[in-house]
Amino acid sequence: MTQPDSYVQRLRRLDCCAVSDALDKLQLPGVVTGLPQRSGAGRIAGRAITVKLGTGAPPAGPVRHLGCTAIEAAGPDHIIVVEQRSGVEAGSWGGLLSLGAKVRGVAGVVADGPVRDIDEAIAFDFPVFSRGLTSFTARGRVVEKGTNVPVEIADVTVAGGDYVLADRSAVIFIAASDIERVLDTAEAIVLKESAMSKAILAGTPIGQVMGGNYEHMLKD
């Protein structure tokens, strides 16, 4: 039995704003906005299984619907990350895929492109974050170009095995090689902000709490 990824467990305890601050401090890319949560509730975290979609002929081999290979490779510590930036309005994800992923225990889906059947994903309580919504099928419009190949999500390149965190503020991608230092930095930021919250609750004026120390916190 596969052991849970300890980095994923730590990432689940953080919100996107804290991790965004950590990336700022470390001068690393990875924050993507404009991919709102369309279904499911709450934060998701996991390792990326990527799916690249595009136009033209699919790769040679047996015919398979887009996303199926990724779902069959995924589990609770995974998020499926889909690139559909072809310019063709066509679903990059749909209802049967949401059901299949839900059955596998997949943490969720992030799609830079439109998704369809979102009411089904809502009914399944399956988390989907996407650039847009559509009713148009992928059939005859876009095909899968590869699974676990590099994909472009906004201006961030994501590889299979990278780490993903998503909530209502943003979607964040962290290269596997950077995950430990990003987590360490974000956890330190959370501790500092927790102390500030306690000070505010204890009656310290907010202007005093959020003074020079707060403004320069990411430079320390």
Side-chain angles (χ1 to χ4, degrees):
M1 183 175 178
T2 303
Q3 294 298 312
D5 188 310
S6 62
Y7 290 142
V8 172
Q9 293 176 312
R10 289 170 65 187
L11 196 57
R12 287 191 182 116
R13 294 193 285 267
L14 298 166
D15 63 65
C16 282
C17 292
V19 177
S20 176
D21 286 354
L23 293 176
D24 278 349
K25 183 176 177 66
L26 296 169
Q27 298 185 314
L28 293 172
V31 177
V32 175
T33 57
L35 300 177
Q37 187 165 13
R38 309 288 183 172
S39 59
R43 180 187 312 146
I44 61 171
R47 301 196 77 167
I49 293 181
T50 63
V51 179
K52 186 176 181 69
L53 306 182
T55 56
V63 176
R64 286 173 66 82
H65 188 65
L66 61 86
C68 291
T69 301
I71 291 170
E72 290 172 356
D77 279 349
H78 292 113
I79 293 174
I80 296 174
V81 179
V82 185
E83 176 195 325
Q84 205 290 68
R85 302 172 66 180
S86 66
V88 175
E89 185 178 350
S92 58
W93 191 262
L96 289 174
L97 295 176
S98 289
L99 179 59
K102 176 79 173 183
V103 168
R104 291 284 296 179
V106 178
V109 169
V110 172
D112 193 346
V115 301
R116 65 186 233 142
D117 300 319
I118 198 62
D119 288 339
E120 293 181 37
I122 291 169
F124 302 145
D125 193 29
F126 181 71
V128 174
F129 295 74
S130 76
R131 183 71 64 187
L133 301 174
T134 187
S135 64
F136 288 110
T137 180
R139 295 186 294 270
R141 292 187 173 94
V142 295
V143 298
E144 183 171 315
K145 297 292 191 176
T147 298
N148 271 341
V149 297
V151 296
E152 297 296 320
I153 306 299
D155 58 353
V156 177
T157 300
V158 184
D162 285 351
Y163 287 82
V164 188
L165 178 67
D167 63 20
R168 289 186 180 90
S169 293
V171 177
I172 293 181
F173 302 99
I174 307 164
S177 58
D178 293 324
I179 187 63
E180 186 162 11
R181 62 181 178 140
V182 171
L183 286 171
D184 288 345
T185 303
E187 288 164 350
I189 289 169
V190 168
L191 283 175
K192 290 180 180 179
E193 292 193 343
S194 177
M196 292 175 181
S197 296
K198 289 176 181 177
I200 293 169
L201 289 169
T204 305
I206 191 167
Q208 181 177 330
V209 174
M210 298 185 73
N213 288 340
Y214 180 82
E215 291 299 318
H216 300 292
M217 187 169 66
L218 300 184
K219 299 178 182 178
D220 295 340

PDB file of all heavy atoms in Angstrom, residues 104-143:
ATOM      1  N   ARG A 104     -12.088   7.055  -7.626  1.00  0.00           N
ATOM      2  CA  ARG A 104     -10.668   6.776  -7.351  1.00  0.00           C
ATOM      3  C   ARG A 104     -10.159   7.526  -6.132  1.00  0.00           C
ATOM      4  O   ARG A 104      -9.040   7.302  -5.687  1.00  0.00           O
ATOM      5  CB  ARG A 104      -9.810   7.179  -8.556  1.00  0.00           C
ATOM      6  CG  ARG A 104      -9.984   6.320  -9.784  1.00  0.00           C
ATOM      7  CD  ARG A 104      -9.290   4.985  -9.680  1.00  0.00           C
ATOM      8  NE  ARG A 104      -7.832   5.136  -9.576  1.00  0.00           N
ATOM      9  CZ  ARG A 104      -6.999   4.108  -9.447  1.00  0.00           C
ATOM     10  NH1 ARG A 104      -7.480   2.875  -9.364  1.00  0.00           N
ATOM     11  NH2 ARG A 104      -5.708   4.305  -9.367  1.00  0.00           N
ATOM     12  N   GLY A 105     -10.947   8.473  -5.613  1.00  0.00           N
ATOM     13  CA  GLY A 105     -10.508   9.259  -4.464  1.00  0.00           C
ATOM     14  C   GLY A 105      -9.615  10.423  -4.817  1.00  0.00           C
ATOM     15  O   GLY A 105      -8.957  10.991  -3.928  1.00  0.00           O
ATOM     16  N   VAL A 106      -9.571  10.798  -6.099  1.00  0.00           N
ATOM     17  CA  VAL A 106      -8.711  11.894  -6.544  1.00  0.00           C
ATOM     18  C   VAL A 106      -9.095  13.182  -5.811  1.00  0.00           C
ATOM     19  O   VAL A 106     -10.282  13.460  -5.595  1.00  0.00           O
ATOM     20  CB  VAL A 106      -8.831  12.075  -8.075  1.00  0.00           C
ATOM     21  CG1 VAL A 106      -7.981  13.243  -8.560  1.00  0.00           C
ATOM     22  CG2 VAL A 106      -8.430  10.781  -8.783  1.00  0.00           C
ATOM     23  N   ALA A 107      -8.083  13.985  -5.437  1.00  0.00           N
ATOM     24  CA  ALA A 107      -8.344  15.192  -4.647  1.00  0.00           C
ATOM     25  C   ALA A 107      -9.119  16.249  -5.424  1.00  0.00           C
ATOM     26  O   ALA A 107      -9.899  17.003  -4.836  1.00  0.00           O
ATOM     27  CB  ALA A 107      -7.031  15.781  -4.141  1.00  0.00           C
ATOM     28  N   GLY A 108      -8.923  16.338  -6.736  1.00  0.00           N
ATOM     29  CA  GLY A 108      -9.630  17.336  -7.526  1.00  0.00           C
ATOM     30  C   GLY A 108      -8.989  17.528  -8.882  1.00  0.00           C
ATOM     31  O   GLY A 108      -8.028  16.830  -9.252  1.00  0.00           O
ATOM     32  N   VAL A 109      -9.511  18.498  -9.619  1.00  0.00           N
ATOM     33  CA  VAL A 109      -9.046  18.814 -10.971  1.00  0.00           C
ATOM     34  C   VAL A 109      -8.840  20.313 -11.092  1.00  0.00           C
ATOM     35  O   VAL A 109      -9.648  21.103 -10.586  1.00  0.00           O
ATOM     36  CB  VAL A 109     -10.070  18.348 -12.026  1.00  0.00           C
ATOM     37  CG1 VAL A 109      -9.739  18.895 -13.403  1.00  0.00           C
ATOM     38  CG2 VAL A 109     -10.121  16.832 -12.084  1.00  0.00           C
ATOM     39  N   VAL A 110      -7.755  20.691 -11.771  1.00  0.00           N
ATOM     40  CA  VAL A 110      -7.492  22.084 -12.125  1.00  0.00           C
ATOM     41  C   VAL A 110      -7.354  22.125 -13.640  1.00  0.00           C
ATOM     42  O   VAL A 110      -6.524  21.400 -14.204  1.00  0.00           O
ATOM     43  CB  VAL A 110      -6.215  22.612 -11.461  1.00  0.00           C
ATOM     44  CG1 VAL A 110      -5.857  23.986 -12.007  1.00  0.00           C
ATOM     45  CG2 VAL A 110      -6.359  22.647  -9.945  1.00  0.00           C
ATOM     46  N   ALA A 111      -8.165  22.960 -14.307  1.00  0.00           N
ATOM     47  CA  ALA A 111      -8.137  23.009 -15.765  1.00  0.00           C
ATOM     48  C   ALA A 111      -7.950  24.430 -16.257  1.00  0.00           C
ATOM     49  O   ALA A 111      -8.756  25.309 -15.922  1.00  0.00           O
ATOM     50  CB  ALA A 111      -9.436  22.428 -16.338  1.00  0.00           C
ATOM     51  N   ASP A 112      -6.891  24.658 -17.033  1.00  0.00           N
ATOM     52  CA  ASP A 112      -6.741  25.929 -17.727  1.00  0.00           C
ATOM     53  C   ASP A 112      -7.467  25.776 -19.055  1.00  0.00           C
ATOM     54  O   ASP A 112      -6.881  25.466 -20.091  1.00  0.00           O
ATOM     55  CB  ASP A 112      -5.277  26.279 -17.936  1.00  0.00           C
ATOM     56  CG  ASP A 112      -5.105  27.742 -18.366  1.00  0.00           C
ATOM     57  OD1 ASP A 112      -6.115  28.361 -18.738  1.00  0.00           O
ATOM     58  OD2 ASP A 112      -3.979  28.249 -18.306  1.00  0.00           O
ATOM     59  N   GLY A 113      -8.779  25.983 -18.982  1.00  0.00           N
ATOM     60  CA  GLY A 113      -9.662  25.794 -20.117  1.00  0.00           C
ATOM     61  C   GLY A 113     -11.068  25.594 -19.594  1.00  0.00           C
ATOM     62  O   GLY A 113     -11.293  25.566 -18.390  1.00  0.00           O
ATOM     63  N   PRO A 114     -12.037  25.444 -20.484  1.00  0.00           N
ATOM     64  CA  PRO A 114     -13.415  25.259 -20.043  1.00  0.00           C
ATOM     65  C   PRO A 114     -13.693  23.807 -19.640  1.00  0.00           C
ATOM     66  O   PRO A 114     -13.101  22.876 -20.187  1.00  0.00           O
ATOM     67  CB  PRO A 114     -14.231  25.645 -21.282  1.00  0.00           C
ATOM     68  CG  PRO A 114     -13.321  25.395 -22.433  1.00  0.00           C
ATOM     69  CD  PRO A 114     -11.924  25.595 -21.946  1.00  0.00           C
ATOM     70  N   VAL A 115     -14.586  23.639 -18.677  1.00  0.00           N
ATOM     71  CA  VAL A 115     -15.065  22.308 -18.305  1.00  0.00           C
ATOM     72  C   VAL A 115     -16.575  22.262 -18.512  1.00  0.00           C
ATOM     73  O   VAL A 115     -17.247  23.292 -18.533  1.00  0.00           O
ATOM     74  CB  VAL A 115     -14.716  21.953 -16.843  1.00  0.00           C
ATOM     75  CG1 VAL A 115     -13.225  21.991 -16.623  1.00  0.00           C
ATOM     76  CG2 VAL A 115     -15.425  22.873 -15.856  1.00  0.00           C
ATOM     77  N   ARG A 116     -17.105  21.046 -18.662  1.00  0.00           N
ATOM     78  CA  ARG A 116     -18.540  20.903 -18.844  1.00  0.00           C
ATOM     79  C   ARG A 116     -19.136  19.998 -17.767  1.00  0.00           C
ATOM     80  O   ARG A 116     -18.416  19.465 -16.936  1.00  0.00           O
ATOM     81  CB  ARG A 116     -18.872  20.400 -20.254  1.00  0.00           C
ATOM     82  CG  ARG A 116     -18.393  19.021 -20.573  1.00  0.00           C
ATOM     83  CD  ARG A 116     -18.658  18.695 -22.034  1.00  0.00           C
ATOM     84  NE  ARG A 116     -19.399  17.443 -22.196  1.00  0.00           N
ATOM     85  CZ  ARG A 116     -20.335  17.233 -23.099  1.00  0.00           C
ATOM     86  NH1 ARG A 116     -20.690  18.207 -23.924  1.00  0.00           N
ATOM     87  NH2 ARG A 116     -20.940  16.071 -23.204  1.00  0.00           N
ATOM     88  N   ASP A 117     -20.457  19.870 -17.783  1.00  0.00           N
ATOM     89  CA  ASP A 117     -21.171  19.031 -16.802  1.00  0.00           C
ATOM     90  C   ASP A 117     -20.864  19.464 -15.376  1.00  0.00           C
ATOM     91  O   ASP A 117     -20.755  18.622 -14.481  1.00  0.00           O
ATOM     92  CB  ASP A 117     -20.806  17.553 -16.976  1.00  0.00           C
ATOM     93  CG  ASP A 117     -21.151  17.008 -18.352  1.00  0.00           C
ATOM     94  OD1 ASP A 117     -22.231  17.352 -18.868  1.00  0.00           O
ATOM     95  OD2 ASP A 117     -20.346  16.229 -18.897  1.00  0.00           O
ATOM     96  N   ILE A 118     -20.751  20.762 -15.147  1.00  0.00           N
ATOM     97  CA  ILE A 118     -20.339  21.195 -13.817  1.00  0.00           C
ATOM     98  C   ILE A 118     -21.400  20.877 -12.767  1.00  0.00           C
ATOM     99  O   ILE A 118     -21.069  20.632 -11.597  1.00  0.00           O
ATOM    100  CB  ILE A 118     -19.976  22.702 -13.820  1.00  0.00           C
ATOM    101  CG1 ILE A 118     -19.145  23.046 -12.575  1.00  0.00           C
ATOM    102  CG2 ILE A 118     -21.208  23.569 -13.914  1.00  0.00           C
ATOM    103  CD1 ILE A 118     -17.825  22.322 -12.495  1.00  0.00           C
ATOM    104  N   ASP A 119     -22.678  20.816 -13.165  1.00  0.00           N
ATOM    105  CA  ASP A 119     -23.711  20.447 -12.202  1.00  0.00           C
ATOM    106  C   ASP A 119     -23.505  19.029 -11.681  1.00  0.00           C
ATOM    107  O   ASP A 119     -23.820  18.735 -10.525  1.00  0.00           O
ATOM    108  CB  ASP A 119     -25.100  20.584 -12.822  1.00  0.00           C
ATOM    109  CG  ASP A 119     -25.517  22.041 -13.012  1.00  0.00           C
ATOM    110  OD1 ASP A 119     -24.943  22.912 -12.329  1.00  0.00           O
ATOM    111  OD2 ASP A 119     -26.413  22.303 -13.840  1.00  0.00           O
ATOM    112  N   GLU A 120     -22.979  18.158 -12.524  1.00  0.00           N
ATOM    113  CA  GLU A 120     -22.690  16.796 -12.074  1.00  0.00           C
ATOM    114  C   GLU A 120     -21.544  16.799 -11.067  1.00  0.00           C
ATOM    115  O   GLU A 120     -21.598  16.101 -10.049  1.00  0.00           O
ATOM    116  CB  GLU A 120     -22.361  15.902 -13.271  1.00  0.00           C
ATOM    117  CG  GLU A 120     -23.549  15.669 -14.180  1.00  0.00           C
ATOM    118  CD  GLU A 120     -23.211  14.769 -15.347  1.00  0.00           C
ATOM    119  OE1 GLU A 120     -22.433  13.810 -15.175  1.00  0.00           O
ATOM    120  OE2 GLU A 120     -23.734  15.030 -16.455  1.00  0.00           O
ATOM    121  N   ALA A 121     -20.513  17.578 -11.343  1.00  0.00           N
ATOM    122  CA  ALA A 121     -19.399  17.667 -10.395  1.00  0.00           C
ATOM    123  C   ALA A 121     -19.883  18.218  -9.055  1.00  0.00           C
ATOM    124  O   ALA A 121     -19.456  17.768  -7.988  1.00  0.00           O
ATOM    125  CB  ALA A 121     -18.290  18.540 -10.961  1.00  0.00           C
ATOM    126  N   ILE A 122     -20.798  19.203  -9.099  1.00  0.00           N
ATOM    127  CA  ILE A 122     -21.366  19.745  -7.867  1.00  0.00           C
ATOM    128  C   ILE A 122     -22.127  18.655  -7.118  1.00  0.00           C
ATOM    129  O   ILE A 122     -21.997  18.508  -5.896  1.00  0.00           O
ATOM    130  CB  ILE A 122     -22.278  20.947  -8.188  1.00  0.00           C
ATOM    131  CG1 ILE A 122     -21.432  22.129  -8.686  1.00  0.00           C
ATOM    132  CG2 ILE A 122     -23.101  21.354  -6.964  1.00  0.00           C
ATOM    133  CD1 ILE A 122     -22.251  23.263  -9.271  1.00  0.00           C
ATOM    134  N   ALA A 123     -22.927  17.863  -7.839  1.00  0.00           N
ATOM    135  CA  ALA A 123     -23.688  16.783  -7.212  1.00  0.00           C
ATOM    136  C   ALA A 123     -22.773  15.736  -6.593  1.00  0.00           C
ATOM    137  O   ALA A 123     -23.095  15.160  -5.542  1.00  0.00           O
ATOM    138  CB  ALA A 123     -24.618  16.133  -8.237  1.00  0.00           C
ATOM    139  N   PHE A 124     -21.631  15.485  -7.222  1.00  0.00           N
ATOM    140  CA  PHE A 124     -20.667  14.514  -6.683  1.00  0.00           C
ATOM    141  C   PHE A 124     -19.824  15.101  -5.558  1.00  0.00           C
ATOM    142  O   PHE A 124     -19.046  14.369  -4.931  1.00  0.00           O
ATOM    143  CB  PHE A 124     -19.715  14.032  -7.793  1.00  0.00           C
ATOM    144  CG  PHE A 124     -20.370  13.391  -8.975  1.00  0.00           C
ATOM    145  CD1 PHE A 124     -19.844  13.562 -10.258  1.00  0.00           C
ATOM    146  CD2 PHE A 124     -21.502  12.617  -8.833  1.00  0.00           C
ATOM    147  CE1 PHE A 124     -20.436  12.983 -11.364  1.00  0.00           C
ATOM    148  CE2 PHE A 124     -22.105  12.017  -9.949  1.00  0.00           C
ATOM    149  CZ  PHE A 124     -21.574  12.207 -11.208  1.00  0.00           C
ATOM    150  N   ASP A 125     -19.935  16.414  -5.324  1.00  0.00           N
ATOM    151  CA  ASP A 125     -19.070  17.124  -4.369  1.00  0.00           C
ATOM    152  C   ASP A 125     -17.607  16.895  -4.721  1.00  0.00           C
ATOM    153  O   ASP A 125     -16.762  16.666  -3.857  1.00  0.00           O
ATOM    154  CB  ASP A 125     -19.363  16.683  -2.927  1.00  0.00           C
ATOM    155  CG  ASP A 125     -18.719  17.601  -1.887  1.00  0.00           C
ATOM    156  OD1 ASP A 125     -18.545  18.794  -2.193  1.00  0.00           O
ATOM    157  OD2 ASP A 125     -18.382  17.125  -0.786  1.00  0.00           O
ATOM    158  N   PHE A 126     -17.317  16.990  -6.019  1.00  0.00           N
ATOM    159  CA  PHE A 126     -15.960  16.768  -6.516  1.00  0.00           C
ATOM    160  C   PHE A 126     -15.340  18.101  -6.898  1.00  0.00           C
ATOM    161  O   PHE A 126     -15.899  18.838  -7.716  1.00  0.00           O
ATOM    162  CB  PHE A 126     -15.979  15.830  -7.723  1.00  0.00           C
ATOM    163  CG  PHE A 126     -14.609  15.548  -8.268  1.00  0.00           C
ATOM    164  CD1 PHE A 126     -13.724  14.753  -7.564  1.00  0.00           C
ATOM    165  CD2 PHE A 126     -14.200  16.102  -9.471  1.00  0.00           C
ATOM    166  CE1 PHE A 126     -12.445  14.511  -8.053  1.00  0.00           C
ATOM    167  CE2 PHE A 126     -12.934  15.854  -9.972  1.00  0.00           C
ATOM    168  CZ  PHE A 126     -12.058  15.060  -9.249  1.00  0.00           C
ATOM    169  N   PRO A 127     -14.174  18.450  -6.325  1.00  0.00           N
ATOM    170  CA  PRO A 127     -13.591  19.775  -6.561  1.00  0.00           C
ATOM    171  C   PRO A 127     -13.055  19.959  -7.982  1.00  0.00           C
ATOM    172  O   PRO A 127     -12.212  19.180  -8.445  1.00  0.00           O
ATOM    173  CB  PRO A 127     -12.447  19.845  -5.541  1.00  0.00           C
ATOM    174  CG  PRO A 127     -12.803  18.839  -4.495  1.00  0.00           C
ATOM    175  CD  PRO A 127     -13.480  17.727  -5.250  1.00  0.00           C
ATOM    176  N   VAL A 128     -13.562  20.994  -8.636  1.00  0.00           N
ATOM    177  CA  VAL A 128     -13.086  21.376  -9.964  1.00  0.00           C
ATOM    178  C   VAL A 128     -12.793  22.871  -9.962  1.00  0.00           C
ATOM    179  O   VAL A 128     -13.641  23.677  -9.570  1.00  0.00           O
ATOM    180  CB  VAL A 128     -14.134  21.055 -11.058  1.00  0.00           C
ATOM    181  CG1 VAL A 128     -13.681  21.600 -12.410  1.00  0.00           C
ATOM    182  CG2 VAL A 128     -14.389  19.556 -11.149  1.00  0.00           C
ATOM    183  N   PHE A 129     -11.586  23.221 -10.400  1.00  0.00           N
ATOM    184  CA  PHE A 129     -11.183  24.612 -10.610  1.00  0.00           C
ATOM    185  C   PHE A 129     -10.940  24.766 -12.109  1.00  0.00           C
ATOM    186  O   PHE A 129     -10.241  23.941 -12.712  1.00  0.00           O
ATOM    187  CB  PHE A 129      -9.897  24.932  -9.857  1.00  0.00           C
ATOM    188  CG  PHE A 129     -10.007  24.861  -8.352  1.00  0.00           C
ATOM    189  CD1 PHE A 129     -10.089  23.637  -7.707  1.00  0.00           C
ATOM    190  CD2 PHE A 129     -10.019  26.016  -7.581  1.00  0.00           C
ATOM    191  CE1 PHE A 129     -10.188  23.559  -6.314  1.00  0.00           C
ATOM    192  CE2 PHE A 129     -10.112  25.951  -6.194  1.00  0.00           C
ATOM    193  CZ  PHE A 129     -10.205  24.725  -5.562  1.00  0.00           C
ATOM    194  N   SER A 130     -11.483  25.836 -12.717  1.00  0.00           N
ATOM    195  CA  SER A 130     -11.306  25.942 -14.163  1.00  0.00           C
ATOM    196  C   SER A 130     -11.327  27.383 -14.636  1.00  0.00           C
ATOM    197  O   SER A 130     -11.827  28.279 -13.953  1.00  0.00           O
ATOM    198  CB  SER A 130     -12.400  25.153 -14.900  1.00  0.00           C
ATOM    199  OG  SER A 130     -13.621  25.852 -14.883  1.00  0.00           O
ATOM    200  N   ARG A 131     -10.817  27.563 -15.859  1.00  0.00           N
ATOM    201  CA  ARG A 131     -10.802  28.885 -16.485  1.00  0.00           C
ATOM    202  C   ARG A 131     -12.210  29.311 -16.904  1.00  0.00           C
ATOM    203  O   ARG A 131     -12.533  30.488 -16.897  1.00  0.00           O
ATOM    204  CB  ARG A 131      -9.877  28.846 -17.711  1.00  0.00           C
ATOM    205  CG  ARG A 131      -9.705  30.158 -18.424  1.00  0.00           C
ATOM    206  CD  ARG A 131      -8.886  31.146 -17.636  1.00  0.00           C
ATOM    207  NE  ARG A 131      -7.512  30.688 -17.431  1.00  0.00           N
ATOM    208  CZ  ARG A 131      -6.638  31.297 -16.659  1.00  0.00           C
ATOM    209  NH1 ARG A 131      -6.994  32.382 -15.981  1.00  0.00           N
ATOM    210  NH2 ARG A 131      -5.411  30.818 -16.507  1.00  0.00           N
ATOM    211  N   GLY A 132     -13.051  28.338 -17.292  1.00  0.00           N
ATOM    212  CA  GLY A 132     -14.392  28.672 -17.748  1.00  0.00           C
ATOM    213  C   GLY A 132     -15.291  27.460 -17.754  1.00  0.00           C
ATOM    214  O   GLY A 132     -14.894  26.354 -17.341  1.00  0.00           O
ATOM    215  N   LEU A 133     -16.524  27.664 -18.220  1.00  0.00           N
ATOM    216  CA  LEU A 133     -17.522  26.607 -18.318  1.00  0.00           C
ATOM    217  C   LEU A 133     -18.056  26.562 -19.740  1.00  0.00           C
ATOM    218  O   LEU A 133     -18.080  27.573 -20.450  1.00  0.00           O
ATOM    219  CB  LEU A 133     -18.682  26.860 -17.338  1.00  0.00           C
ATOM    220  CG  LEU A 133     -18.321  26.949 -15.860  1.00  0.00           C
ATOM    221  CD1 LEU A 133     -19.543  27.355 -15.050  1.00  0.00           C
ATOM    222  CD2 LEU A 133     -17.753  25.634 -15.342  1.00  0.00           C
ATOM    223  N   THR A 134     -18.529  25.389 -20.152  1.00  0.00           N
ATOM    224  CA  THR A 134     -19.076  25.226 -21.493  1.00  0.00           C
ATOM    225  C   THR A 134     -20.010  24.027 -21.505  1.00  0.00           C
ATOM    226  O   THR A 134     -19.995  23.206 -20.581  1.00  0.00           O
ATOM    227  CB  THR A 134     -17.960  25.027 -22.529  1.00  0.00           C
ATOM    228  OG1 THR A 134     -18.527  25.040 -23.847  1.00  0.00           O
ATOM    229  CG2 THR A 134     -17.223  23.717 -22.313  1.00  0.00           C
ATOM    230  N   SER A 135     -20.789  23.915 -22.575  1.00  0.00           N
ATOM    231  CA  SER A 135     -21.561  22.690 -22.812  1.00  0.00           C
ATOM    232  C   SER A 135     -20.972  21.887 -23.965  1.00  0.00           C
ATOM    233  O   SER A 135     -21.394  20.755 -24.222  1.00  0.00           O
ATOM    234  CB  SER A 135     -23.021  23.041 -23.139  1.00  0.00           C
ATOM    235  OG  SER A 135     -23.091  23.773 -24.354  1.00  0.00           O
ATOM    236  N   PHE A 136     -19.985  22.454 -24.666  1.00  0.00           N
ATOM    237  CA  PHE A 136     -19.456  21.801 -25.859  1.00  0.00           C
ATOM    238  C   PHE A 136     -18.575  20.599 -25.507  1.00  0.00           C
ATOM    239  O   PHE A 136     -17.645  20.698 -24.706  1.00  0.00           O
ATOM    240  CB  PHE A 136     -18.643  22.792 -26.703  1.00  0.00           C
ATOM    241  CG  PHE A 136     -19.484  23.809 -27.416  1.00  0.00           C
ATOM    242  CD1 PHE A 136     -19.468  25.133 -27.031  1.00  0.00           C
ATOM    243  CD2 PHE A 136     -20.295  23.426 -28.486  1.00  0.00           C
ATOM    244  CE1 PHE A 136     -20.240  26.079 -27.679  1.00  0.00           C
ATOM    245  CE2 PHE A 136     -21.067  24.371 -29.147  1.00  0.00           C
ATOM    246  CZ  PHE A 136     -21.050  25.700 -28.743  1.00  0.00           C
ATOM    247  N   THR A 137     -18.837  19.484 -26.165  1.00  0.00           N
ATOM    248  CA  THR A 137     -18.049  18.277 -25.969  1.00  0.00           C
ATOM    249  C   THR A 137     -16.654  18.410 -26.579  1.00  0.00           C
ATOM    250  O   THR A 137     -16.446  19.173 -27.539  1.00  0.00           O
ATOM    251  CB  THR A 137     -18.759  17.062 -26.595  1.00  0.00           C
ATOM    252  OG1 THR A 137     -17.968  15.893 -26.402  1.00  0.00           O
ATOM    253  CG2 THR A 137     -18.985  17.247 -28.091  1.00  0.00           C
ATOM    254  N   ALA A 138     -15.729  17.644 -26.029  1.00  0.00           N
ATOM    255  CA  ALA A 138     -14.393  17.556 -26.617  1.00  0.00           C
ATOM    256  C   ALA A 138     -14.401  16.722 -27.888  1.00  0.00           C
ATOM    257  O   ALA A 138     -13.525  16.901 -28.754  1.00  0.00           O
ATOM    258  CB  ALA A 138     -13.428  16.939 -25.605  1.00  0.00           C
ATOM    259  N   ARG A 139     -15.376  15.822 -28.014  1.00  0.00           N
ATOM    260  CA  ARG A 139     -15.395  14.894 -29.150  1.00  0.00           C
ATOM    261  C   ARG A 139     -15.443  15.647 -30.474  1.00  0.00           C
ATOM    262  O   ARG A 139     -16.321  16.470 -30.711  1.00  0.00           O
ATOM    263  CB  ARG A 139     -16.594  13.941 -29.032  1.00  0.00           C
ATOM    264  CG  ARG A 139     -16.523  13.018 -27.827  1.00  0.00           C
ATOM    265  CD  ARG A 139     -17.655  11.991 -27.824  1.00  0.00           C
ATOM    266  NE  ARG A 139     -18.955  12.609 -27.647  1.00  0.00           N
ATOM    267  CZ  ARG A 139     -19.525  12.833 -26.456  1.00  0.00           C
ATOM    268  NH1 ARG A 139     -18.886  12.515 -25.329  1.00  0.00           N
ATOM    269  NH2 ARG A 139     -20.729  13.363 -26.382  1.00  0.00           N
ATOM    270  N   GLY A 140     -14.460  15.359 -31.332  1.00  0.00           N
ATOM    271  CA  GLY A 140     -14.381  16.023 -32.623  1.00  0.00           C
ATOM    272  C   GLY A 140     -13.779  17.410 -32.573  1.00  0.00           C
ATOM    273  O   GLY A 140     -13.685  18.085 -33.607  1.00  0.00           O
ATOM    274  N   ARG A 141     -13.383  17.854 -31.363  1.00  0.00           N
ATOM    275  CA  ARG A 141     -12.835  19.211 -31.229  1.00  0.00           C
ATOM    276  C   ARG A 141     -11.399  19.211 -30.695  1.00  0.00           C
ATOM    277  O   ARG A 141     -10.535  19.866 -31.265  1.00  0.00           O
ATOM    278  CB  ARG A 141     -13.735  20.052 -30.324  1.00  0.00           C
ATOM    279  CG  ARG A 141     -15.093  20.360 -30.915  1.00  0.00           C
ATOM    280  CD  ARG A 141     -15.873  21.329 -30.049  1.00  0.00           C
ATOM    281  NE  ARG A 141     -17.112  21.762 -30.698  1.00  0.00           N
ATOM    282  CZ  ARG A 141     -18.307  21.175 -30.499  1.00  0.00           C
ATOM    283  NH1 ARG A 141     -18.407  20.156 -29.650  1.00  0.00           N
ATOM    284  NH2 ARG A 141     -19.366  21.617 -31.144  1.00  0.00           N
ATOM    285  N   VAL A 142     -11.155  18.545 -29.580  1.00  0.00           N
ATOM    286  CA  VAL A 142      -9.810  18.471 -29.019  1.00  0.00           C
ATOM    287  C   VAL A 142      -9.505  17.031 -28.644  1.00  0.00           C
ATOM    288  O   VAL A 142     -10.416  16.219 -28.439  1.00  0.00           O
ATOM    289  CB  VAL A 142      -9.631  19.389 -27.778  1.00  0.00           C
ATOM    290  CG1 VAL A 142      -9.770  20.848 -28.163  1.00  0.00           C
ATOM    291  CG2 VAL A 142     -10.602  19.014 -26.671  1.00  0.00           C
ATOM    292  N   VAL A 143      -8.209  16.739 -28.551  1.00  0.00           N
ATOM    293  CA  VAL A 143      -7.765  15.385 -28.207  1.00  0.00           C
ATOM    294  C   VAL A 143      -6.672  15.472 -27.151  1.00  0.00           C
ATOM    295  O   VAL A 143      -6.075  16.531 -26.933  1.00  0.00           O
ATOM    296  CB  VAL A 143      -7.219  14.641 -29.446  1.00  0.00           C
ATOM    297  CG1 VAL A 143      -8.300  14.464 -30.501  1.00  0.00           C
ATOM    298  CG2 VAL A 143      -6.013  15.372 -30.036  1.00  0.00           C
TER     299      VAL A 143
END
